[in-house]
């Protein structure tokens, strides 16, 4: 596209970012489209570090004490990947224990923070997950926000998967407390149905994307252009060229409207509930958890194993059976 058209996409990006900030209960802030949720999560980790240690941008890691990131043991693997890529190191990610449904235990979070501090290390960021990848669990955001306030920690919410509930009046309470987050990841290419890739990173801090990433390349971001240079949002990205990922989301949102998107989310959760109920009363299927979201975790128990003692040996055999193509009876 030409430079005359570029501002149109920036305008779309601003519009959609503001809309999504509003849905997350944030009255202002900033955001950027990223090539996937893993990268959005990296933005969260980097901003947390830059906020706490502004000198990091120039001086790098050698200027800092050992940093720690707290994330639940069910958190997405991109947190570890991000920690490796950004120079924190995978060991800096401290796993926090979860309850049986996969939600972060805040008493454990508190314990872990104390433990980190007692070793002279610096906790910088807590990553909460809204909609874990395997169990579909939503971490208790309000309680986590209280702990982050108390210890002055950045709270990043990985709602790559679960963010869609913010579109639903009925289900948005799963993420109550999101309005207290410092940043969040939301992938419209998941439940909202946008085409891959479409991921948004949002933050309540208006200036942090720019502060953390800008280098002010003079050949690109000259102040004397023929259009309003506040449209030059490129400097807050860690990329140079970017795909116009906002376009497909903007077009989809315009054509479906808030109502259709809300209906799709409500319908997905209704279908999940229906499937869970069917599974609970269908012979040979064992529902393992009442679902919080659309992830249904179950075992299929073949007829030959149905009335046997369910000891460890049985479980080992079952886990092999589920991998085999079974003749259904
Ligand atoms: C899918 C997912 C991601 C990663 O998103 P990509 O767009 O695949 O990089 C991160 N976190 C959670 C919770 C996810 O479900």
């Amino acid at each position: 596209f030409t430079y005359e058209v570029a501002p149109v996409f920036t305008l779309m990006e601003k519009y959609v970012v503001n809309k999504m900030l509003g849905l997350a209960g944030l009255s202002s802030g900033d955001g950027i489209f990223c090539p996937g949720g893993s990268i959005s999560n990296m933005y969260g980790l980097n901003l947390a570090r830059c906020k706490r240690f502004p000198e990091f941008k120039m001086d790098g890691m050698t200027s800092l004490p050992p940093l720690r990131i707290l994330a639940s043991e069910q958190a997405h693997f991109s947190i570890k990947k991000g920690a490796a890529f950004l120079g924190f190191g995978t060991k800096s990610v401290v796993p926090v224990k979860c309850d049986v449904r996969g939600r972060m235990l805040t008493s454990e979070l508190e314990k872990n923070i104390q433990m980190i501090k007692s070793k002279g290390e610096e906790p910088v960021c807590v990553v909460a997950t809204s909609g874990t990848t395997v169990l579909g669990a939503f971490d208790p955001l309000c309680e986590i926000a209280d702990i982050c306030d108390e210890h002055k920690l950045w709270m990043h919410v990985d709602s790559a998967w679960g963010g869609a509930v913010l579109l639903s009046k009925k289900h948005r309470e799963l993420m109550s407390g999101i309005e207290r987050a410092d940043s969040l990841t939301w992938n419209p290419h998941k439940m909202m149905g946008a085409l891959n890739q479409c991921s948004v990173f949002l933050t309540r801090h208006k200036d942090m994307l720019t502060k953390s990433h800008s280098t002010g390349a003079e050949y690109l971001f000259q102040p004397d252009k023929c259009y309003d240079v506040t449209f030059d949002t490129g400097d807050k990205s860690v990329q140079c060229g970017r795909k116009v990922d906002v376009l497909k989301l903007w077009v989809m949102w315009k054509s479906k409207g808030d109502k259709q998107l809300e209906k799709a989310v409500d319908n997905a959760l209704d279908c999940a509930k229906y499937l869970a109920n069917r599974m609970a009363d269908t012979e040979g299927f064992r529902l393992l958890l009442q679902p919080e979201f659309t992830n249904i975790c179950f075992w299929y128990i073949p007829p030959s194993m149905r009335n046997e003692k369910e000891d460890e040996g049985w479980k080992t055999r079952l886990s092999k059976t589920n991998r085999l193509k079974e003749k259904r009876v």
Side-chain angles (χ1 to χ4, degrees), residues 35-39 41 76 78 129-133 158-161 185 187 189-190 196 199:
S38 304
I39 309 291
N41 283 338
H76 191 261
S78 57
T129 311
S130 292
T132 58
T133 317
D158 178 4
S159 56
W161 173 217
T185 291
N187 278 11
H189 74 223
K190 290 192 170 167
N196 217 343
S199 174

Side-chain angles (χ1 to χ4, degrees), residues 1-276:
F1 54 83
T2 63
Y3 279 106
E4 286 77 59
V5 195
V8 177
F9 294 129
T10 312
L11 205 63
M12 279 181 182
E13 189 166 65
K14 247 185 203 171
Y15 179 85
V16 176
V17 159
N18 283 335
K19 171 120 190 151
M20 293 174 91
L21 282 168
L23 286 167
L26 298 166
S27 55
S28 68
D30 199 3
I32 194 164
F33 279 68
C34 295
S38 304
I39 309 291
S40 296
N41 283 338
M42 288 185 200
Y43 270 81
L45 298 178
N46 196 42
L47 261 63
R49 178 168 58 184
C50 286
K51 175 84 177 154
R52 179 69 168 277
F53 299 100
E55 70 274 23
F56 161 76
K57 189 176 167 190
M58 279 182 76
D59 298 342
M61 285 299 263
T62 50
S63 64
L64 308 183
L67 306 184
R68 294 294 175 260
I69 297 157
L70 295 111
S72 93
E73 54 192 4
Q74 294 283 332
H76 191 261
F77 61 78
S78 57
I79 305 304
K80 268 200 176 157
K81 285 201 187 213
F85 192 70
L86 296 167
F88 288 92
T90 52
K91 275 191 191 161
S92 68
V93 182
V94 179
V96 182
K97 286 204 176 74
C98 295
D99 67 13
V100 289
R101 303 198 36 190
R103 293 171 295 202
M104 184 193 280
L105 285 165
T106 47
S107 54
E108 290 291 324
L109 175 62
E110 182 70 53
K111 255 193 239 165
N112 278 303
I113 294 171
Q114 301 295 355
M115 186 261 300
I116 290 168
K117 286 185 169 174
S118 72
K119 288 199 249 171
E121 300 161 346
E122 283 277 334
V124 278
C125 183
V126 175
V127 179
T129 311
S130 292
T132 58
T133 317
V134 178
L135 301 176
F138 286 77
D139 287 342
L141 301 184
C142 283
E143 290 173 42
I144 292 171
D146 287 342
I147 294 175
C148 287
D149 280 353
E150 188 191 325
H151 295 278
K152 298 195 170 52
L153 301 176
W154 183 282
M155 175 175 168
H156 175 72
V157 178
D158 178 4
S159 56
W161 173 217
V165 301
L166 296 171
L167 296 157
S168 160
K169 285 186 268 314
K170 194 166 156 198
H171 299 294
R172 61 165 295 128
E173 56 162 18
L174 284 166
M175 284 181 69
S176 67
I178 186 64
E179 67 286 352
R180 296 174 64 188
D182 291 287
S183 59
L184 63 140
T185 291
W186 180 351
N187 278 11
H189 74 223
K190 290 192 170 167
M191 191 174 279
M192 283 176 79
L195 291 179
N196 217 343
Q197 294 163 341
C198 192
S199 174
V200 184
F201 172 77
L202 300 167
T203 173
R204 67 183 314 113
H205 304 276
K206 246 184 151 50
D207 55 344
M208 280 311 295
L209 277 170
T210 304
K211 274 192 183 158
S212 310
H213 304 140
S214 66
T215 50
E218 282 173 2
Y219 78 99
L220 268 181
F221 306 113
Q222 316 93 325
D224 57 349
K225 286 189 183 154
C226 56
Y227 59 83
D228 179 359
V229 292
T230 60
F231 285 121
D232 280 347
T233 52
D235 214 16
K236 36 182 207 197
S237 166
V238 293
Q239 296 171 264
C240 175
R242 278 199 300 149
K243 286 217 170 199
V244 193
D245 288 325
V246 66
L247 184 60
K248 57 202 167 199
L249 180 59
W250 188 85
V251 169
M252 184 185 83
W253 215 320
K254 274 283 178 198
S255 72
K256 292 191 176 179
D258 293 348
K259 278 252 161 62
Q260 278 306 111
L261 291 175
E262 177 173 28
K263 259 196 200 161
V265 173
D266 289 349
N267 183 52
L269 274 103
D270 286 347
C271 288
K273 208 172 194 178
Y274 173 80
L275 183 62

